[in-house]
Amino acid sequence: MDLRFTPEEIAFRDEVRAFFRDNVPAKTREKLIAGRPLDKDDIVTWQRILNKRGWAVPNWPVEWGGQNWSPVQRYIFDEEMQLAPAPQPLPFGVSMVGPVIIAFGNEQQKKRFLPRIANLDDWWCQGFSEPGAGSDLASLKTRAERKGDRYIVNGQKTWTTLAQYADWIFCLCRTDPAAKKQEGISFLLIDMKTPGITVRPIVTIDGGREVNEVFFDDVEVPVENLVGEENKGWTYAKFLLGNERTGIARVGLSKQRLRRVKALAREVGLMDDPRFREKVAAVEVELKALEMTQLRVVAAERHRKDKKPDPFSSILKIKGSEIQQATTELALEVAGPYAMPYVPPQEGRNEPPIGPEWAAPLAPTYFNWRKVSIYGGSNEIQRNIIAKAILGL
Amino acid sequence: MDFDLTEEQRLLKESVERLLADRYAFEQRQAYQKSPEGWSRELWRAYAELGLLGLPFAEEEGGVGGGPVETMIVMEAFGRALALEPYLSTVVLCGGILRRTGQKELLPRIADGSLLLAFAHGEPRSRWRLDHVETQVENGRVTGEKAVVLHGDSAEKLVVSARDGKGRIGLYLVDAGATARRGYPTQDGQRAAEIRLDGTPVEAVLAEDGMPLIERVVDEAIAALAAEAVGAMTALQELTVDYLKTRKQFGVPIGTFQALQHRAVDMLVATEQARSMAMFATMMAGEEDAAERRKAIAAAKVQVGRSARFVGQQAIQLHGGIGMTAEYKGGHYFKRLTMIDQMFGPADHHLERLAEAGGLFD
């Protein structure tokens, strides 16, 4: 047992760290540190910088631009990206639909979509949740009816993140309403420019416009955009959701946020208050434990023969989301009275700030971050998974 | 980075676990506890035969040259078995002091099981402050009172801390028979003693300026206790899940109820977070930078204390009435975990220390 990184791993870390230090555009970095939202251009520009370096899709197979990194290297890469901070690549293409196409798509789909995902030429969004299908995702109702060489799609998706920018949406649709609910679902790739698609924003409690409703009204989708087999979509969705859980601990992000909380708290004198210091230290202890737990999961990966998601990753999701939320709550406390003024996010940055500039995004971030224990399989669903898969209850 | 045990470490783990599975069933443990000394001399000899008592000592000192990982393996197994023997006192604390203070002739006697030691440091008014020592040493004689000395009743020799005329806190070896001792059981079934020294002669001066060494071995002991707590927590968590699967109410196993399932999951999460920090403490126990080591150990003590409290309390609750009975093993884990949190300062004490030192991340 040697819990230190090897010299090779340290060399890799230094290389990655230097790249992030030298290549994240200054305005993007400033927004990330301040907790202000990124715009489309920030995200696309960064993805192309990564792609040029060959690091856009490290988890993919080498033939599609992947890096064949060890689990530890992948961990280091993610951690350094969050610490830098650099924008995390949009998960919808790189971590969600990309791996599904690689695992279950045909050659034509791979050639058509994968390079454009890596370079963010196509912006993807996720069409899973529906108004009546959240935790019970398999009860989804959006219908895709086969008519010759097309599917006709009707229904509604919701909580669709950044659909306002999206070129494509991957959708779970019901293709066999007579079958058992998990067995009649198919995985379709749909061009967002197809007639009959309407995107309507949902304003969230932080005032942000991050998620949307997407309506499908007789939308025609060519059958060549079906991934894998018809009615096997649930299998692909489970594969995708398993991938989603592993990256969700976000230890590096929480470290970066705690550093900022401490720096700001020192500035306003709050670090002189032993009660606040101890609250910060308590979160740091939990975070250190989570970091070690994540490293245990990462290290165990090379012993795993099957590719199924480790149910242990549900622990990372639960603790990771709780700790991220705790850091936003600490930041809110640092803001003090200047947590209160509401500045609409759409407003230009020409107006002089009310109070210190750093304080304005802290309350919205706290509000917004309540989402992390809900999305990606709510923490209650994660507990169900652990109860069944680890405890055998 | 690598969490795997070496081949030797795996063998050590298997042999300790096998020994304890054979000879430390709960009924046997209760019998050892009721014996006059409150633990088993027979098991102590078995530990010696396995090499556990010389674990941290070099081979030329009769030991096996093990490090913090080997100690972690043994302590975790002891935690699972609720072992009662004076291992922490004799091997980890006093062995840790003696091997760093040139007492090489005593180490083979620890390793072969013939010498028992206790670390007489805490005092009636010191609470958790390591540097609060009123006991005096003058002209080779020690006078003072030592409180809740773990296994102080059965020890042959004591490592005593005392302040000299220059105000330095030193460490001195004394014959335990030359002190006045009042031994007693602790809440968790272990043993301790109140000890009075009244001009007790010093057999050997171990360190005249002993604070850095005291802090170092206490940090090592906390890392060892963290591993013991993880062993106890893991066993208690498993015991609870088994109970949820077998206990029926309303015609079904109570483990089918989601409220109880989620509680059991939170116990698992708490246990795994503690295990991670016990590993971190093990890794940092050998850290030479005392400030870094102290922060890491404090952080581990916070996590382990909080996890232990949660797992212990929830285990009793999920067992219902059975959890309250003295004849059931679960309550004994709870009591041991509660006392481990107290030892060398509870979670809040270490959180305060960690926060004062600037926290973990900068």
Side-chain angles (χ1 to χ4, degrees):
Chain A
M1 200 172 95
D2 186 348
L3 306 186
R4 290 163 304 185
F5 288 131
T6 63
E8 294 77 28
E9 287 161 351
I10 288 171
F12 177 74
R13 185 194 68 191
D14 292 344
E15 185 191 353
V16 168
R17 187 173 287 180
F19 178 78
F20 289 149
R21 186 191 56 223
D22 299 339
N23 288 282
V24 178
K27 74 174 173 82
T28 305
R29 186 199 179 84
E30 279 161 24
K31 285 185 192 173
L32 285 168
I33 290 174
R36 294 202 308 271
L38 301 181
D39 57 33
K40 183 175 182 177
D41 180 54
D42 294 317
I43 294 169
V44 172
T45 303
W46 173 241
Q47 183 71 21
R48 290 182 183 161
I49 292 169
L50 276 179
N51 200 28
K52 215 168 150 201
R53 179 64 183 80
W55 288 351
V57 286
N59 299 354
W60 290 9
V62 174
E63 62 165 318
W64 295 110
Q67 282 292 342
N68 212 7
W69 285 340
S70 70
V72 176
Q73 284 178 300
R74 294 212 296 268
Y75 171 83
I76 290 171
F77 182 75
D78 287 347
E79 160 105 349
E80 290 300 325
M81 183 150 31
Q82 294 165 22
L83 278 173
Q88 290 204 268
L90 281 185
F92 313 107
V94 170
S95 317
M96 294 183 176
V97 74
V100 167
I101 291 173
I102 290 165
F104 307 106
N106 58 37
E107 275 311 300
Q108 205 193 337
Q109 289 169 338
K110 288 179 196 176
K111 283 193 188 125
R112 178 176 174 197
F113 293 113
L114 295 179
R116 296 180 60 81
I117 290 174
N119 203 47
L120 202 46
D121 296 329
D122 293 334
W123 184 299
W124 283 84
C125 63
Q126 180 185 25
F128 275 24
S129 296
E130 296 181 5
S135 292
D136 180 15
L137 183 60
S139 69
L140 58 92
K141 289 200 181 73
T142 295
R143 182 85 169 90
E145 242 176 311
R146 179 89 182 247
K147 288 256 171 76
D149 61 354
R150 335 217 116 220
Y151 289 101
I152 309 299
V153 178
N154 280 287
Q156 183 195 345
K157 295 292 176 183
T158 192
W159 313 126
T160 314
T161 301
L162 302 177
Q164 67 266 38
Y165 303 142
D167 304 299
W168 286 82
I169 183 167
F170 55 94
C171 259
L172 293 180
C173 301
R174 190 157 300 284
T175 35
D176 182 358
K180 251 180 61 186
K181 64 179 182 179
Q182 287 87 354
E183 287 165 14
I185 294 171
S186 297
F187 196 107
L188 295 185
L189 312 177
I190 304 177
D191 187 335
M192 289 291 280
K193 289 184 287 295
T194 320
I197 296 180
T198 313
V199 177
R200 187 186 294 163
I202 300 171
V203 179
T204 43
I205 50 175
D206 56 316
R209 211 206 115 164
E210 195 175 42
V211 288
N212 302 272
E213 296 176 292
V214 181
F215 298 89
F216 297 86
D217 184 12
D218 285 331
V219 173
E220 294 188 11
V221 180
V223 287
E224 70 207 48
N225 288 0
L226 169 74
V227 175
E229 291 175 52
E230 197 174 88
N231 297 328
K232 290 279 165 64
W234 186 248
T235 312
Y236 315 148
K238 277 198 299 186
F239 168 85
L240 181 153
L241 292 171
N243 288 340
E244 190 181 5
R245 264 203 306 279
T246 47
I248 220 152
R250 294 211 189 123
V251 171
L253 177 72
S254 289
K255 277 190 198 170
Q256 187 256 330
R257 283 207 176 138
L258 277 173
R259 280 179 190 144
R260 173 140 173 102
V261 162
K262 286 164 88 168
L264 293 173
R266 263 180 226 119
E267 219 170 277
V268 301
L270 196 53
M271 281 309 263
D272 301 331
D273 175 358
R275 183 199 55 83
F276 185 77
R277 277 205 308 262
E278 285 176 27
K279 271 167 79 167
V280 174
V283 177
E284 288 184 315
V285 169
E286 291 271 3
L287 180 59
K288 187 74 209 176
L290 178 68
E291 180 178 29
M292 297 303 294
T293 306
Q294 167 140 35
L295 287 169
R296 286 166 55 202
V297 173
V298 167
E301 229 173 275
R302 65 193 160 105
H303 299 304
R304 287 177 72 82
K305 295 195 176 58
D306 55 24
K307 289 273 178 200
K308 286 192 194 141
D310 187 343
F312 237 81
S313 60
S314 292
I315 295 180
L316 305 179
K317 162 77 200 315
I318 294 171
K319 287 314 293 188
S321 55
E322 289 174 357
I323 291 167
Q324 289 168 55
Q325 291 174 335
T327 63
T328 64
E329 207 172 344
L330 288 169
L332 180 70
E333 188 172 342
V334 176
Y338 280 114
M340 295 186 71
Y342 175 71
V343 184
Q346 292 82 3
E347 212 160 88
R349 303 205 54 75
N350 306 325
E351 299 274 321
I354 305 167
E357 195 170 0
W358 54 261
L362 298 181
T365 303
Y366 164 67
F367 297 139
N368 181 275
W369 234 254
R370 302 316 297 173
K371 70 189 176 187
V372 295
S373 52
I374 299 168
Y375 69 33
S378 74
N379 287 14
E380 288 68 31
I381 291 292
Q382 304 302 333
R383 286 184 172 88
N384 289 352
I385 292 170
I386 296 170
K388 195 171 159 201
I390 300 180
L391 301 182
L393 289 170
Chain B
M1 196 200 57
D2 171 14
F3 286 79
D4 297 343
L5 300 180
T6 63
E7 189 55 32
E8 291 82 24
Q9 288 167 346
R10 233 189 334 268
L11 285 173
L12 171 69
K13 183 172 156 69
E14 279 169 22
S15 51
V16 180
E17 286 176 352
R18 197 175 320 120
L19 173 73
L20 295 172
D22 287 348
R23 299 175 61 185
Y24 236 98
F26 182 57
E27 297 69 29
Q28 291 167 302
R29 189 250 185 201
Q30 295 310 79
Y32 303 148
Q33 199 225 310
K34 286 193 187 79
S35 70
E37 279 191 308
W39 50 277
S40 166
R41 289 262 172 190
E42 228 180 284
L43 262 296
W44 194 248
R45 278 190 292 278
Y47 299 157
E49 280 160 28
L50 269 185
L52 307 188
L53 302 185
L55 205 58
F57 309 148
E59 281 175 39
E60 58 273 20
E61 296 158 354
V64 296
V69 176
E70 282 74 12
T71 300
M72 176 186 85
I73 290 168
V74 172
M75 290 302 290
E76 193 175 333
F78 283 166
R80 186 174 268 280
L82 285 170
L84 299 161
E85 286 67 36
Y87 191 83
L88 188 79
S89 304
T90 298
V91 178
V92 179
L93 285 163
C94 294
I97 290 168
L98 295 182
R99 75 191 166 93
R100 293 187 176 100
T101 49
Q103 293 300 309
K104 305 220 159 164
E105 70 285 359
L106 293 179
L107 300 181
R109 288 195 55 211
I110 297 177
D112 71 18
S114 60
L115 177 61
L116 298 173
L117 292 142
F119 180 45
H121 178 54
E123 298 187 358
R125 279 168 296 274
S126 63
R127 291 187 68 82
W128 313 119
R129 292 193 303 274
L130 289 179
D131 60 356
H132 183 102
V133 174
E134 295 176 26
T135 298
Q136 301 285 329
V137 59
E138 208 183 346
N139 301 326
R141 290 179 178 274
V142 185
T143 300
E145 276 182 72
K146 294 293 179 180
V148 203
V149 177
L150 300 171
H151 286 107
D153 54 344
S154 51
E156 183 189 323
K157 291 184 188 298
L158 303 174
V159 173
V160 181
S161 57
R163 220 175 258 281
D164 67 8
K166 294 178 182 162
R168 298 175 301 184
I169 297 170
L171 289 166
Y172 303 90
L173 191 71
V174 305
D175 179 7
T179 66
R181 290 187 283 180
R182 180 180 168 199
Y184 50 84
T186 52
Q187 292 291 339
D188 50 6
Q190 305 236 352
R191 299 284 305 182
E194 300 296 290
I195 299 179
R196 244 165 45 103
L197 302 100
D198 193 2
T200 306
V202 170
E203 287 190 347
V205 179
L206 301 174
E208 286 182 323
D209 204 351
M211 264 325 282
L213 184 53
I214 290 170
E215 288 182 348
R216 173 155 210 160
V217 293
V218 167
D219 283 347
E220 286 173 352
I222 290 173
L225 279 173
E228 183 185 345
V230 165
M233 256 183 266
T234 306
L236 183 54
Q237 195 265 329
E238 289 168 3
L239 197 65
T240 306
V241 170
D242 283 345
Y243 187 78
L244 293 179
K245 287 176 183 170
T246 46
R247 167 73 174 169
K248 284 188 178 171
Q249 286 289 275
F250 307 102
V252 291
I254 59 173
T256 58
F257 301 132
Q258 195 182 37
L260 305 192
Q261 288 178 353
H262 284 194
R263 202 88 61 85
V265 168
D266 289 340
M267 288 171 67
L268 176 79
V269 174
T271 302
E272 293 306 327
Q273 290 283 84
R275 188 187 314 282
S276 289
M277 287 307 268
M279 288 174 166
F280 181 56
T282 299
M283 176 176 85
M284 294 298 286
E287 171 64 46
E288 294 298 332
D289 180 340
E292 281 304 305
R293 189 187 67 229
R294 209 168 302 148
K295 286 204 283 186
I297 296 292
K301 194 74 169 59
V302 171
Q303 181 67 57
V304 167
R306 292 189 164 187
S307 289
R309 174 171 176 270
F310 182 79
V311 171
Q313 291 181 350
Q314 296 308 318
I316 302 297
Q317 179 68 21
L318 293 189
H319 276 90
I322 298 297
M324 294 298 297
T325 60
E327 65 177 26
Y328 188 69
K329 196 177 181 182
H332 296 268
Y333 282 121
F334 173 51
K335 289 197 284 183
R336 178 65 185 147
L337 288 169
T338 305
M339 292 304 122
I340 286 178
D341 185 34
Q342 290 297 310
M343 290 166 77
F344 303 113
D348 283 354
H349 168 76
H350 287 277
L351 185 64
E352 189 184 347
R353 288 180 58 189
L354 177 62
E356 267 171 25
L360 281 176
F361 301 111
D362 261 313

